[in-house]
Amino acid sequence: NRIKPGRASHRTSEMESPDYLKALRAALPDQSDVELELLAAHSPQLCRLTKKTRGAHRRRAMEMLWPNRVWHEWREQRVQSVQECLETKTKELMWIGSSNSNKSADMADIALTMWWSKPELTSIYVTSPYESATELGLWAYIIEQFESAQALHPKLPGKIRFSDSSIILYDRNPRSFIRVATVDQIGKLVGKKSRDFNEGNLIVLADELPAFSQMAGRNFLKTMPNLWSVPNMLLIGAGNFAETTDALGIACDPNEDDIPNGYEGFNADVHFRWRTKRRGLVLRFDGLQSPNVKAGKDIYPFVTT
């Protein structure tokens, strides 16, 4: 999602603080602008002071954290979909689309903003079907974007612990982390009690869902209903759709109120968003609807052409 690789520009830090942050700074004088935006993205109470939506604060924070990231229609839709799920208590969100629709990069950015909004009470598990999960894909994006944001905003909390592929707030805090985990490890979350997360967030990120073995994918999805009792739980899954019977296909199975006859009634020219039988939300990023294709020219070199 970047125009070019390299360290982010410092132009955001040179901007004047918007007027709506003055009310927040009066109550929180020691917080930087980006920290205030992150706090407001988590707090309806703070939004009443700023008269901005939580989604607007999240976008502003992301623009400050990664100023070289390019905003386009698909990125905006993904950010809004996460905010919608958080506010409506929707437990599962699926993004389907080709490998060059930037799902993984956006998932990494959004995960970091959710963690930095309330790091002391936010647990994020990152799972992948690949043994190289700590070196490639989503986890690699998370590490890259964590380091990039901290270089620009040194006050941001957290540190990378390479020994167990995690990001932690500080040692011995069992609730504050972003951590690579296997499907089996996530399954053990079933034993957690919902009251443990009444004030925090439990986020599960599952990239490349079609690449999970059939058994692993099904077992993974079977654990999710046991976590729905956690008030602030959200599963974000993604992949390039392959089969209606694999993990992604099962997770995206349409609710017939949105798509009559389910997959049998699916129309590729019409259906880009629907609710699922599992009470989740699906966003579909069709290459023929890419920002480049719709513009008739290649505006963004990293998106489907």
Side-chain angles (χ1 to χ4, degrees):
N1 266 38
R2 293 171 299 179
I3 297 175
K4 58 183 180 180
R7 185 168 174 172
S9 157
H10 283 262
R11 68 177 185 270
T12 303
S13 60
E14 295 169 356
M15 291 180 177
E16 291 185 4
S17 299
D19 289 340
Y20 65 79
L21 289 184
K22 292 179 181 178
L24 298 186
R25 181 153 291 108
L28 302 163
D30 296 328
Q31 302 294 317
S32 67
D33 281 7
V34 71
E35 289 172 310
L36 291 173
E37 297 283 5
L38 288 165
L39 287 169
H42 181 80
S43 170
Q45 292 80 7
L46 293 180
C47 288
R48 285 196 283 270
L49 291 176
T50 65
K51 302 189 186 319
K52 301 285 184 180
T53 65
R54 291 162 63 187
H57 284 294
R58 187 177 303 281
R59 168 159 180 167
R60 172 65 177 170
M62 294 176 72
E63 290 172 340
M64 297 173 72
L65 291 166
W66 302 289
N68 277 357
R69 288 290 204 206
V70 178
W71 284 84
H72 51 79
E73 179 183 349
W74 279 357
R75 182 169 169 85
E76 181 67 29
Q77 286 179 24
R78 286 191 275 261
V79 174
Q80 288 183 2
S81 69
V82 170
Q83 197 65 40
E84 177 183 345
C85 288
L86 292 174
E87 294 181 13
T88 61
K89 304 297 183 183
T90 299
K91 305 295 187 179
E92 294 185 0
L93 171 64
M94 297 292 141
W95 298 336
I96 59 178
S98 64
S99 58
N100 52 349
S101 54
N102 295 127
K103 303 179 300 298
S104 299
D106 286 345
M107 190 185 294
D109 291 353
I110 290 167
L112 286 167
T113 63
M114 287 193 288
W115 192 71
W116 275 319
S117 293
K118 201 174 183 66
E120 68 279 3
L121 289 174
T122 299
S123 304
I124 299 180
Y125 288 91
V126 182
T127 190
S128 164
Y130 306 120
E131 292 182 2
S132 57
T134 59
E135 300 173 6
L136 303 172
L138 178 57
W139 180 246
Y141 280 122
I142 289 173
I143 294 298
E144 177 186 359
Q145 293 308 96
F146 180 87
E147 293 178 328
S148 173
Q150 272 199 339
L152 193 59
H153 304 279
K155 288 181 61 179
L156 287 171
K159 63 180 180 179
I160 300 171
R161 193 164 64 186
F162 290 102
S163 61
D164 62 355
S165 301
S166 65
I167 294 171
I168 60 172
L169 184 61
Y170 51 81
D171 292 327
R172 299 186 181 181
N173 183 340
R175 291 286 311 283
S176 176
F177 57 79
I178 305 174
R179 178 181 300 159
V180 172
T182 66
V183 170
D184 291 340
Q185 289 170 333
I186 291 176
K188 293 178 183 178
L189 289 173
V190 172
K192 287 188 177 290
K193 296 180 180 179
S194 61
R195 62 182 175 83
D196 293 338
F197 285 91
N198 279 341
E199 296 182 4
N201 296 301
L202 172 61
I203 311 297
V204 179
L205 308 177
D207 202 13
E208 303 294 347
L209 271 173
F212 283 85
S213 70
Q214 187 174 51
M215 180 176 293
R218 286 177 178 272
N219 288 341
F220 173 68
L221 292 178
K222 284 180 181 178
T223 69
M224 289 300 110
N226 293 289
L227 297 178
W228 288 347
S229 61
V230 176
N232 302 304
M233 177 267 176
L234 175 62
L235 163 66
I236 306 177
N240 189 350
F241 200 94
E243 301 286 345
T244 60
T245 56
D246 65 20
L248 187 64
I250 294 169
C252 294
D253 196 359
N255 183 314
E256 297 202 4
D257 288 339
D258 281 8
I259 302 181
N261 298 319
Y263 282 127
E264 292 297 322
F266 175 79
N267 184 329
D269 296 322
V270 174
H271 298 127
F272 302 101
R273 172 193 168 102
W274 62 87
R275 295 283 171 176
T276 72
K277 290 179 179 177
R278 297 167 57 88
R279 304 191 300 278
L281 174 65
V282 176
L283 269 63
R284 173 175 164 263
F285 302 97
D286 187 333
L288 296 177
Q289 300 295 321
S290 139
N292 286 330
V293 173
K294 290 173 72 172
K297 56 184 178 180
D298 293 347
I299 302 172
Y300 311 110
F302 46 82
V303 177
T304 306
T305 65

